[in-house]
Amino acid sequence: MHGKSRPPATAGEAIARMDQYVALGLIGQQEVAQLLGLNVTDLTCLGHVLGAGDAPLSAGDLAELTQLTTGAVTGVINRLERSGYAHRRPDPSDRRRVRVVADPAAALRVVAVYEPFYARLGALFADYSPDEIAVIADWFGRATAEMQAHLTRVRAGEIGPPPA
């Protein structure tokens, strides 16, 4: 598939469209979380657990991925267990650690909600050439690193609103 010709856009226009997408995504995540009986943080963590597939995450891995404290992650895992979405499994290489695994039936409920959207995105990607998709993937990877760096500075108090 060859890419289609596209109207020109400035970086500012692209950022505005990204802001719209992110804002709608936040609302969407809240609605999906509510539909599944979870809160957004728990849904986000469950997404990481599901994404890990056959390499289950430790609580520490989950804390690092989400930039939550290990104490907060313990609460998340407790709630995911109570709601039947995940459970703890002993780490085979270190019995002092646990791994978090998704419940297969619960994973199917989550997939049932997200799969139609991912199919729509897949159809959207069909309009792009492999080179264009590589640029999009590169941009998202690099933008994620920039977001992590920015959040680190916000959390350290280096960035914030001016004094009132």
Side-chain angles (χ1 to χ4, degrees), residues 38-151:
L38 299 170
N39 66 47
V40 173
T41 300
D42 294 357
L43 178 61
T44 300
C45 290
L46 180 58
H48 286 296
V49 169
L50 291 169
D54 293 333
L57 301 173
S58 69
D61 296 333
L62 203 49
E64 187 175 320
L65 285 167
T66 58
Q67 297 190 5
L68 294 171
T69 66
T70 53
V73 167
T74 297
V76 167
I77 296 168
N78 289 343
R79 290 188 299 275
L80 289 174
E81 280 189 315
R82 278 195 306 273
S83 61
Y85 281 99
H87 60 274
R88 291 171 170 94
R89 179 174 28 171
D91 186 323
S93 62
D94 182 351
R95 290 295 201 189
R96 296 168 296 173
R97 294 177 61 178
V98 296
R99 298 285 176 171
V100 184
V101 295
D103 177 83
L108 290 175
R109 292 196 307 269
V110 174
V111 168
V113 175
Y114 280 102
E115 201 285 324
F117 176 58
Y118 287 171
R120 293 175 72 101
L121 291 178
L124 184 63
F125 274 119
D127 285 343
Y128 292 87
S129 71
D131 286 344
E132 290 173 319
I133 293 171
V135 169
I136 294 167
D138 176 68
W139 188 90
F140 273 110
R142 293 172 62 194
T144 298
E146 293 301 328
M147 173 67 82
Q148 288 171 336
H150 181 72
L151 286 175

